[in-house]
Amino acid sequence: MISIVTNLISFIILCFFFYGRSLRKSNTDKHIKIMSGVIFSDVALVLFLVLGRSALSKVSMEMPVYLIIHIFFALSTVILYVAAVIVGLKLKRGQTRYLNKMRLIDKVLTPMRVMTLVTSTALMFI
Ligand code: HEM
């Protein structure tokens, strides 16, 4: 039951991710607000899973491959979120030379975030 709820929350956050991303050129202020909210919500969800569901207790060398794959996508997403915030703040301060860096982060981060949901949903059926 709780996996359905956490995956549903992850799906809703992903919808806001794509909405905030769609504003990246048209409304930068709203882009920043929504993407910051997305990052905060995703980190809060990970903390809930780690602290509330002792998800870390499942992490071991014997864990199944599909869990390793899910953790790879999830950890990559969180690491790229840190990069997006650092580069985003530079862009906010007018350092436009970082625009290509943000586009590169976006190209890697977006599929990583989608695959995080795809693999966590798959975990419910395996
Ligand atoms: C979390 C994921 C994020 C993604 C995927 C993302 C994606 C992007 C992309 C692709 C662009 C380039 C738009 C273009 O091609 O011109 C962009 C621009 C920008 N982003 Fe983000 N962003 C994210 C988070 C953030 C955050 C957290 C901040 C601020 C702290 C931020 C601030 C900006 C700013 C200021 C611009 C420049 C807008 C401009 O001057 O054209 N972004 N973002």
Side-chain angles (χ1 to χ4, degrees):
M1 177 59 190
I2 198 136
S3 307
I4 295 173
V5 174
T6 49
N7 277 308
L8 193 59
I9 293 169
S10 176
F11 173 71
I12 293 167
I13 296 172
L14 188 60
C15 293
F16 277 100
F17 178 100
F18 280 110
Y19 173 56
R21 191 173 166 272
S22 72
L23 298 169
R24 66 191 182 279
K25 292 185 182 174
S26 58
N27 189 335
T28 307
D29 286 345
K30 208 169 177 185
H31 167 74
I32 295 171
K33 285 196 186 87
I34 293 177
M35 298 316 267
S36 302
V38 162
I39 295 170
F40 178 81
S41 309
D42 262 347
V43 171
L45 186 61
V46 170
L47 285 177
F48 166 73
L49 289 170
V50 169
L51 303 175
R53 298 253 303 156
S54 59
L56 279 183
S57 64
K58 298 188 182 89
V59 177
S60 72
M61 295 316 288
E62 282 80 50
M63 69 182 159
V65 164
Y66 46 79
L67 192 51
I68 296 172
I69 294 169
H70 171 64
I71 291 171
F72 165 74
F73 287 125
L75 275 182
S76 305
T77 301
V78 173
I79 292 164
L80 287 163
Y81 274 161
V82 175
V85 170
I86 293 168
V87 172
L89 290 173
K90 290 181 186 299
L91 287 170
K92 196 170 179 289
R93 286 194 291 268
Q95 300 175 29
T96 50
R97 68 179 183 278
Y98 288 95
L99 213 46
N100 283 335
K101 271 221 174 51
M102 183 61 107
R103 290 172 184 148
L104 180 62
I105 292 167
D106 171 63
K107 281 198 179 66
V108 184
L109 173 55
T110 303
M112 287 291 171
R113 181 55 180 86
V114 171
M115 287 309 294
T116 300
L117 177 64
V118 169
T119 50
S120 64
T121 306
L123 282 173
M124 288 196 308
F125 302 100
I126 296 174

